[in-house]
Amino acid sequence: QLSVYTTTRSSIGAESNIDLVLNVEDFDIESKFERTVNVSVPKKTRNNGTLYAFIFLHHAGTLPWHDGKQVHMVSPLTTYMVPKPEEINLLTGESTTQQIEADKQTNALDEPVSHWRSRLTLNVMAEDFVFDGSSLPADVHRYMKMVQLGKTVHYLPILFIDQLSNRVKDLMVINRSTTELPLTVSYDKISLGKLRFWIHMQDAVYSLQQFGFSEKDADEVKGIFVDTNLYFLALTFFVAAFHLLFDFLAFKNDISFWKKKRSMIGMSTKAVLWRCFSTVVIFLFLLDEQTSLLVLIPAGIGAVIELWKVKKALKMTIRWQGLRPKFQFGAYNDSEKKTEEYDAQAMKYLSYLLYPLCIGGAAYSLLNVKYKSWYSWLINSFVNGVYAFGFLFMLPQLFVNYKMKSVAHLPWKAFTYKVSQVLI
């Protein structure tokens, strides 16, 4: 039978101080199930402590710790994370959720607090397999418990806890007033191949956390494997490889183009400034939302490249006078001045449409949407404007091309790779 106990201790040697939360008699390895049970939350756990689940497979009618052939696994039902800041209406001060005042005072926003894992996913290897005793697979070996029966060594059922199914979206903050929390226990059999693959994936996620990635970053990686069909996942990796290749080639050719660029004839400076502003705003938005490093790092690199392109477009040089920088701007020739006139003319017409829309959108969100802070509202307003009206900033470059009757000055190689990237 299958038994699940909870305790605040990471090891148990007796039946004291433990609670039985689930008992499946006549447990059938071949039959999958999912059950939701209410778990009593001890005072120690409510005071930012930890709660563990002990999962036993043992003979029916025998207590697990009295069964010499039982197998068990231990899994924490809690984890520590910094709670998400509460969002409020900046004008009225109305909050999204009605939290207990005592919890607000005890849980500092910059300190990790105990969160409840609402899912526990169990697997047992149901595939009959004879292992070579002289060369047991190292990944499976730590999950095996062997017994001597006569002259033959047998292994007991291999019990496995799927940690990849523990997602950040399923976590709940444990308040001091909470005495019971729901726990969904799901079970399904697993093959040897999938078991070994899942073990390696869990080890890889654990390694990411050891290298400094937060649980939220690791959760992004978990989602790739848990939320996606394996065949679709393989196709995604194949497409992502080409996407990454074209992304690299686009960056490479864009940098090469601007590195050789000595004149801004036919190039819209306003469009370059807008792309730089858009990229920096999106990076700051991702930073404010505490987005995964997997997304934040490429966005940061893109922002640095766009800042460098602005420096080239404005012919800017920086000279240091002690610790104070001094900016110098190069002069434009007559052809470049003509381009700037067309660029300013296009921007003048565009501002009649763009500015009222952006200001109106920002005012609407201030009245109707809740934010963590005024800075969060400002960044969200900017990024909403970037996403909603960013396509309008193609118009200055198109207007310049129309007036000059030429597109030869554009970075066509980089543009081609970006188009291929979008099509893929």
Side-chain angles (χ1 to χ4, degrees):
Q1 67 185 47
L2 174 71
S3 300
V4 179
Y5 295 85
T6 59
T7 177
T8 56
R9 302 170 62 183
S10 59
S11 62
I12 56 175
E15 51 184 301
S16 58
N17 298 324
I18 62 174
D19 292 323
L20 177 65
V21 296
L22 178 64
N23 185 36
V24 182
E25 297 181 352
D26 299 325
F27 174 63
D28 183 8
I29 291 178
E30 299 289 338
S31 302
K32 62 185 298 184
F33 68 83
E34 181 172 292
R35 299 183 188 179
T36 300
V37 295
N38 290 324
V39 178
S40 177
V41 183
K43 184 177 180 180
K44 182 178 179 181
T45 304
R46 297 198 299 268
N47 291 331
N48 222 21
T50 305
L51 191 67
Y52 297 92
F54 280 77
I55 302 95
F56 290 92
L57 279 180
H58 58 100
H59 287 102
T62 306
L63 291 174
W65 38 87
H66 294 158
D67 185 1
K69 294 179 182 177
Q70 56 84 13
V71 292
H72 73 275
M73 293 287 291
V74 184
S75 176
L77 294 178
T78 56
T79 187
Y80 290 93
M81 286 186 63
V82 176
K84 186 178 180 180
E86 185 184 12
E87 296 180 345
I88 61 172
N89 187 301
L90 298 175
L91 297 179
T92 64
E94 180 185 353
S95 63
T96 306
T97 58
Q98 299 297 326
Q99 295 183 338
I100 299 176
E101 197 65 30
D103 289 333
K104 290 182 180 180
Q105 295 174 358
T106 55
N107 293 341
L109 291 179
D110 57 347
E111 294 181 0
V113 298
S114 189
H115 284 63
W116 178 254
R117 297 184 190 271
S118 59
R119 295 193 64 86
L120 181 63
T121 305
L122 310 175
N123 302 112
V124 174
M125 194 188 81
E127 183 178 343
D128 290 330
F129 197 89
V130 179
F131 290 102
D132 184 355
S134 61
S135 56
L136 286 173
D139 45 14
V140 181
H141 183 267
R142 66 179 183 266
Y143 292 93
M144 295 177 64
K145 181 178 180 181
M146 289 163 283
V147 294
Q148 184 82 31
L149 296 178
K151 295 182 179 180
T152 309
V153 176
H154 296 263
Y155 61 90
L156 296 175
I158 298 178
L159 178 63
F160 177 72
I161 299 176
D162 183 4
Q163 300 289 358
L164 294 180
S165 297
N166 291 330
R167 304 296 307 281
V168 170
K169 63 183 180 182
D170 298 323
L171 295 179
M172 297 183 291
V173 178
I174 300 177
N175 297 322
R176 292 187 176 183
S177 58
T178 304
T179 57
E180 280 190 348
L181 285 170
L183 176 66
T184 301
V185 181
S186 58
Y187 166 79
D188 197 5
K189 64 181 181 179
I190 191 171
S191 65
L192 177 62
K194 186 176 180 180
L195 172 66
R196 299 185 67 179
F197 176 75
W198 239 232
I199 290 173
H200 286 295
M201 290 303 101
Q202 288 191 171
D203 290 344
V205 171
Y206 177 76
S207 298
L208 288 176
Q209 292 177 297
Q210 295 300 107
F211 280 109
F213 282 75
S214 66
E215 181 155 355
K216 188 174 182 180
D217 299 325
D219 186 71
E220 298 286 342
V221 180
K222 289 181 183 179
I224 296 175
F225 299 100
V226 176
D227 298 339
T228 310
N229 180 276
L230 288 178
Y231 296 105
F232 185 72
L233 179 62
L235 177 63
T236 302
F237 276 128
F238 180 75
V239 172
F242 278 95
H243 195 277
L244 185 62
L245 174 63
F246 285 123
D247 199 13
F248 170 77
L249 292 173
F251 271 128
K252 175 179 176 295
N253 284 277
D254 201 24
I255 292 173
S256 298
F257 174 83
W258 282 94
K259 190 175 182 181
K260 299 174 183 176
K261 193 73 175 172
R262 296 291 181 268
S263 171
M264 286 298 292
I265 297 175
M267 296 292 293
S268 170
T269 305
K270 301 293 189 299
V272 175
L273 289 170
W274 169 253
R275 281 196 298 270
C276 177
F277 172 77
S278 303
T279 308
V280 171
V281 163
I282 292 173
F283 172 73
L284 293 176
F285 170 74
L286 295 174
L287 195 63
D288 183 60
E289 292 294 316
Q290 298 178 346
T291 307
S292 167
L293 292 176
L294 300 174
V295 178
L296 194 60
I297 291 175
I301 294 173
V304 171
I305 293 175
E306 292 299 330
L307 287 169
W308 172 74
K309 287 165 64 174
V310 166
K311 178 177 176 293
K312 294 285 292 185
L314 298 179
K315 298 184 178 182
M316 182 192 303
T317 56
I318 303 175
R319 301 183 183 277
W320 291 89
Q321 297 179 345
L323 297 177
R324 187 178 63 180
K326 183 179 180 181
F327 299 96
Q328 295 180 342
F329 298 90
Y332 289 158
N333 57 35
D334 292 339
S335 298
E336 290 175 319
K337 289 180 180 178
K338 196 66 177 176
T339 301
E340 283 298 306
E341 290 178 8
Y342 296 144
D343 198 15
Q345 187 178 358
M347 193 62 199
K348 177 183 176 182
Y349 297 144
L350 184 60
S351 64
Y352 295 152
L353 173 66
L354 187 66
Y355 294 156
L357 289 175
C358 288
I359 294 173
Y364 176 84
S365 64
L366 180 62
L367 293 172
N368 297 280
V369 183
K370 298 176 176 63
Y371 296 98
K372 295 177 290 186
S373 63
W374 286 97
Y375 172 77
S376 182
W377 165 75
L378 184 64
I379 289 298
N380 274 269
S381 299
F382 279 138
V383 84
N384 288 336
V386 167
Y387 285 137
F389 311 116
F391 70 96
L392 294 176
F393 268 87
M394 294 188 295
L395 296 180
Q397 183 63 61
L398 294 175
F399 188 78
V400 170
N401 295 341
Y402 169 74
K403 286 293 186 178
M404 301 193 70
K405 310 298 181 186
S406 174
V407 292
H409 39 266
L410 297 177
W412 282 107
K413 283 187 177 181
F415 177 74
T416 303
Y417 287 127
K418 287 180 180 178
V419 170
S420 302
Q421 186 181 14
V422 171
L423 292 176
I424 289 179

